[in-house]
Each structure stands twice: as C-alpha cells, then as structure tokens.
C-alpha cells in the first residue's frame, strides 16, 4: 500500500490542500486504483507560529502496482494547483510504503502538540525510506509525513463541498434555513455546524471550499448533506477522516511551571486574582499552583463564555484545557470548576435595644444606632456567606470560537 501525504499548498489568496486531496481521490478511483478508506485531514499544532489558519495536512492510501503513475499524478496536480507564487507557500509531498511505525506515530503526535523542524522530518523520512518532494522550501514535508503517520484512536468526519472555479472569492450562497434544519435533525451526530443564529459550515477565505459538515460517522455527514441546500453549483464533494475535535493536541501538565509556549495542555490550578476586562473585551485572570502561575485568557470571540470567567473568584479551583499562544497566555478552550471558594461579607448588626440596623459611628468608633443612640464595638459585625452565582461543572467556548482540534463537551462523555 502506498501512503501519500501532502501539505502547505494553499495561501490566504486561495486554494485548499483538501481540494487537491479530493481531486486525487476521485481521479484515482475513476482510473480503477484501489483507494483504501477515506482521505485523511490531520490538523497540526494550532499554536505553531508559522502555521496556516487551519494548519491541516492530508493523506491518501492507495493499493497499486503502478506506483510511478500515481506519483506523477500527485506531483503534477500539486504543481498545477498549489499557490506557488505566494512567498509563504512551501508545499511538501511524502510517499511511503509499508507499516506505520511507532516512531512515525510519535513524530505525528509531536507535530500536533509541539514544534517540529524540517530537518526532523527529513531525518525520519530517510530512516523509514519515505520519498520526499519539496517545492521551494518544502516545509509541507512536516505535515505530509504527520498526515500519513497520525494514529487515530478517536476520529471524526467532515464532508467538504467544493465550489466551481468561477465562484472562487465570491460570497457563498447557502440556504441558512436548511443548515439550521440539518442541525436540528442530526445534532449531536453532527456538531459545531451552527452557533445560535449563525451558520458555521462556510469558511471566510477565497478557497475552493463551499461548506463543510462535521460529524461522528461518514453516514452521519452524508445524510446531513442531503438536507443542506446550496444556491450555487457544487463541483464535487469528499468525506475526510480527521482528528478534528478530538483534543489530540492536549498534553497533561502536572505543574504550571512545566508548560511551554506554543503547546496545549490540561492543567489544574487555583484562581489567584479577580478576572479583569481590558480594551477590546478580552478577559484575563491568573491561575496558580505550587510551582508557579500563568495568565489565562478568554478573548472577545468567546462571547458569553467571558461572563462565566468574570464570575470566578480567588481560591476557586479549576481544570483548564487550552493552549499557550504568542503572548504567553493560556487561551481557554474549556474548563471545569472543581471547587468554589466561599465568599463572605460583613453586615452591621441589629441594635440589641431597639432592633434597628446599626451604622458606623466613625473611624475606630464602633457602631451606633441612629434610632436610640446605643453604641457597640465593631466586633459585633455579622459575617454572612454570599451565594455564588456559578456552578461546579464544565464550561466551554461557543462553537464559533472553537479551534479545529478542541473537543466539544457533547463528544467528551467520560474521557475528561
């Protein structure tokens, strides 16, 4: 079986690596080649500094006796469709025959969770006898090898529909009501396709993708697609097997001090200070443990989630999933409130003589009843517990703010 990995063919101006995979998938099948399973869409480290927006690589598996024909077809297709004129597009192709080794799987997980160099990818490719083809700098070799090698213990599927070329860059024409209907009929088998009154299946870039439907199985997304109505032609569709919404990027951090920039973690800590809102609507607070502390962020796109964060108080114990970005803040994807710190307030007591509420008599002068003139020391103030307007449970950012790899709570069941 021949494994084919491809990455970094797109740019902000157009193209999509999944589109190239879709074309190859259909052409291989039409030529009578045996394509194994669905093409794969593997999302890599969402906090990698030099990533594209989605940071996704693709791979296909083909059984064939005519490998050269397959390889030439892949090379020609990438050469013709990749955005090679863009200075930041550096495509890479990997061909590999044989069993995926533990070392290859380890490399893929590193590409999803950490920063991987091009030299590391080249070294591993040479070791396992994988063929690599670089266009320009060839940084796509990293993702291409990871897409081939990635283990998928948990996986989801996405059906992607592609536009006809004359519509690239134009406003996408989708019947929104049909998308809401689809979501109502198929949720939670399909998920993260709408967010309140907004549909989320259409991208905002000038790429070939018209829309994408996320779901648990190929059958789920295929059936859901029958409900969605497009008001423009669809050139082709393709279902991808993917690590999207699986939390595959998350590492367990035993201590805050062990966490590193550009990586994603689940960590337990205690709220140190009151959450604060800054200009732009972003909310920040400090999480601490015995090893250190880190600033946590709920940025403006997380919308209502920020209101939950603002209810946190010093002493609250949290379990947080998130990643550390360019500003060294822990960007929250979801969190569980494990313990709520008790809150108290001091109240002036009722006058023991007449029953009226007492007032302060002045600095260091105790309390005085304005009704009868009775005075008592400050020590008689009442300590009252304040109920917390927040519960010990899981909270998550809305679908519109969710990263491709972040697992929504509807999928988590008992594994978090």
């Amino acid at each position: 079986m021949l494994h084919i990995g491809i990455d970094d063919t797109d740019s902000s101006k157009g193209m999509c690596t999944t589109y190239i995979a879709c074309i190859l998938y259909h052409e291989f099948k039409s030529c009578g080649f045996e394509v194994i399973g669905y093409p794969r869409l593997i999302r890599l480290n969402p906090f990698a500094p030099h990533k594209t927006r989605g940071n996704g690589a693709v791979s296909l598996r083909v059984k064939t006796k005519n490998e050269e024909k397959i390889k030439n077809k892949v090379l020609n297709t990438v050469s013709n469709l990749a955005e090679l004129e863009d200075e930041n597009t550096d495509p890479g192709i990997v061909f590999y025959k044989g069993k995926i080794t533990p070392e290859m799987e380890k490399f893929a997980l590193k590409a999803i969770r950490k920063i991987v160099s091009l030299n590391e990818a080249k070294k591993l490719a040479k070791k396992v006898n994988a063929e690599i083809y670089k266009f320009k700098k060839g940084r796509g070799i990293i993702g291409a090898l990871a897409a081939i090698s990635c283990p998928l213990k948990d996986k989801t599927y996405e059906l992607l529909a592609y536009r006809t070329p004359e519509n690239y860059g134009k406003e996408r024409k989708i019947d929104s009501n049909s998308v809401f209907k689809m979501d109502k009929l198929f949720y939670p088998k399909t998920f993260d396709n709408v967010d309140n009154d907004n549909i989320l299946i259409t991208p905002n870039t000038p790429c070939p993708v018209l829309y994408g439907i996320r779901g648990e199985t190929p059958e789920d997304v295929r059936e859901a697609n029958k409900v969605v109505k497009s008001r423009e032609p669809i050139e082709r569709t393709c279902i991808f097997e993917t690590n999207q919404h699986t939390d595959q990027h998350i590492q367990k951090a035993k201590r805050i001090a062990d966490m590193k920039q550009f990586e994603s973690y689940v960590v337990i800590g205690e709220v140190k200070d009151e959450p604060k809102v800054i200009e732009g609507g972003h909310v920040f607070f400090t999480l601490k443990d015995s090893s250190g502390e880190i600033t946590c962020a709920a940025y403006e796109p997380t919308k209502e989630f920020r209101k939950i964060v603002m209810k946190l108080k010093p002493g609250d114990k949290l379990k947080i999933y998130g990643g550390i970005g360019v500003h060294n803040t822990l960007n929250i994807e979801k969190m569980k409130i494990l313990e709520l710190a008790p809150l108290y307030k001091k109240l002036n007591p009722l006058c023991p003589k007449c029953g009226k509420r007492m007032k302060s008599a002045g600095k260091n002068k105790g309390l005085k009843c304005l009704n009868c003139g009775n005075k008592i020391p400050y020590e008689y103030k009442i300590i009252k517990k304040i109920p917390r307007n927040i519960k010990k449970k899981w909270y998550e950012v809305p679908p519109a703010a969710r990263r491709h790899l972040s697992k929504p709570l509807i999928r988590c069941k008992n594994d978090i």
Side-chain angles (χ1 to χ4, degrees):
M1 180 165 63
L2 180 66
H3 296 264
I4 305 162
I6 306 168
D7 191 26
D8 202 12
T9 65
D10 57 349
S11 75
S12 60
K13 299 175 183 177
M15 195 35 58
C16 177
T17 305
T18 66
Y19 180 67
I20 292 177
C22 178
I23 287 178
L24 290 171
Y25 176 78
H26 287 296
E27 290 193 0
F28 290 161
K29 290 181 78 71
S30 67
C31 291
F33 294 113
E34 184 180 356
V35 182
I36 307 301
Y38 294 94
R40 295 170 123 213
L41 168 57
I42 302 300
R43 299 290 182 180
L44 307 177
N45 186 347
F47 289 93
H50 302 295
K51 70 179 184 68
T52 55
R53 182 181 178 275
N55 207 14
V58 300
S59 66
L60 302 99
R61 293 163 289 178
V62 184
K63 279 188 177 181
T64 177
K65 293 180 181 179
N66 194 344
E67 290 183 13
E68 289 308 309
K69 184 175 181 180
I70 292 285
K71 293 175 183 178
N72 288 333
K73 183 63 181 174
V74 173
L75 291 167
N76 289 334
T77 302
V78 171
S79 179
N80 290 333
L81 295 179
E83 293 279 310
L84 295 174
E85 68 280 2
D86 190 288
E87 62 179 0
N88 295 316
T89 300
D90 298 294
I93 300 171
V94 174
F95 297 111
Y96 173 73
K97 281 193 71 176
K99 186 177 180 180
I100 303 300
T101 67
E103 188 175 11
M104 292 172 71
E105 291 186 343
K106 185 178 180 180
F107 170 85
L109 292 175
K110 184 176 181 181
I112 293 165
R113 296 169 181 170
K114 300 178 180 293
I115 305 300
V116 177
S117 71
L118 182 54
N119 283 337
E120 286 180 80
K122 290 179 179 179
K123 185 177 179 180
L124 178 59
K126 183 177 181 179
K127 184 175 181 179
V128 299
N129 293 319
E131 291 182 59
I132 62 174
Y133 291 86
K134 299 189 301 177
F135 294 79
K136 298 161 62 177
K137 296 178 183 178
R139 279 194 58 83
I141 296 298
I142 300 170
L145 186 55
I148 286 173
S149 307
C150 180
L152 288 180
K153 293 181 180 179
D154 184 17
K155 57 189 173 185
T156 62
Y157 292 83
E158 184 168 10
L159 183 145
L160 290 171
Y162 298 96
R163 320 179 77 178
T164 52
E166 67 271 12
N167 285 320
Y168 291 178
K170 296 179 181 178
E171 181 182 356
R172 289 170 171 84
K173 298 177 181 178
I174 301 293
D175 183 341
S176 297
N177 290 331
S178 72
V179 180
F180 291 120
K181 181 180 178 181
M182 177 269 289
D183 184 70
K184 186 176 181 180
L185 288 172
F186 290 94
Y187 183 85
K189 292 181 179 180
T190 62
F191 53 86
D192 278 13
N193 295 304
V194 303
D195 187 355
N196 293 320
D197 296 329
N198 299 310
I199 66 169
L200 302 179
I201 67 172
T202 54
N204 297 315
T205 59
C207 70
V209 175
L210 177 58
Y211 62 82
I213 301 172
R214 307 168 186 90
E216 293 289 347
T217 70
E219 293 73 27
D220 292 332
V221 295
R222 190 180 291 113
E223 289 301 310
N225 185 51
K226 294 177 182 178
V227 181
V228 175
K229 296 179 181 178
S230 171
R231 294 198 176 106
E232 64 174 87
I234 294 175
E235 181 188 273
R236 66 185 74 218
T237 63
C238 195
I239 294 175
F240 287 83
E241 180 182 80
T242 176
N243 65 342
Q244 291 178 159
H245 307 299
T246 65
D247 274 349
Q248 197 173 37
H249 62 313
I250 295 292
Q251 306 168 81
K252 289 184 179 180
K254 292 182 179 180
R255 308 184 312 156
I256 288 175
D258 296 333
M259 300 195 300
K260 299 177 181 179
Q261 188 180 29
F262 305 129
E263 298 183 20
S264 300
Y265 298 92
V266 52
V267 65
I268 292 176
E270 182 181 306
V271 177
K272 178 184 177 181
D273 51 14
E274 294 273 351
K276 296 178 176 62
V277 184
I278 68 167
E279 185 178 356
H282 313 306
V283 178
F284 299 92
F285 67 91
T286 306
L287 189 76
K288 68 176 184 177
D289 67 9
S290 60
S291 73
E293 58 187 47
I294 189 169
T295 300
C296 298
Y299 287 102
E300 190 279 333
T302 63
K303 304 301 180 184
E304 295 298 307
F305 179 74
R306 295 171 300 163
K307 293 182 179 180
I308 300 297
V309 173
M310 286 299 298
K311 293 179 181 180
L312 296 174
K313 297 294 180 182
D316 289 347
K317 189 175 181 182
L318 308 178
K319 184 178 187 179
I320 293 180
Y321 281 67
I324 303 175
V326 66
H327 301 297
N328 265 313
T329 59
L330 181 61
N331 301 279
I332 305 172
E333 295 174 4
K334 52 180 171 277
M335 68 179 184
K336 185 178 185 180
I337 300 178
L338 301 173
E339 295 177 15
L340 287 170
L343 291 185
Y344 301 96
K345 66 178 179 180
K346 290 183 177 181
L347 295 175
N348 292 337
L350 298 178
C351 177
K353 288 187 175 181
C354 69
K356 298 294 184 181
R357 183 73 63 186
M358 303 191 77
K359 304 288 184 181
S360 173
K363 187 176 181 180
N364 300 321
K365 294 182 179 180
L367 300 167
K368 180 179 181 180
C369 178
L370 299 181
N371 184 55
C372 68
N374 183 35
K375 292 185 178 181
I376 59 174
Y378 274 120
E379 289 75 14
Y380 284 88
K381 279 203 169 193
I382 300 169
I383 306 298
K384 185 177 181 181
K385 190 174 183 179
I386 304 171
R388 298 289 303 275
N389 188 24
I390 190 172
K391 296 180 180 180
K392 293 192 292 183
K393 67 173 191 175
W394 281 102
Y395 298 90
E396 65 182 339
V397 302
R402 193 158 12 249
R403 297 183 185 278
H404 288 103
L405 277 164
S406 182
K407 183 185 286 190
L409 292 177
I410 193 65
R411 296 201 70 244
C412 287
K413 300 181 176 68
N414 298 318
D415 57 353
I416 57 173

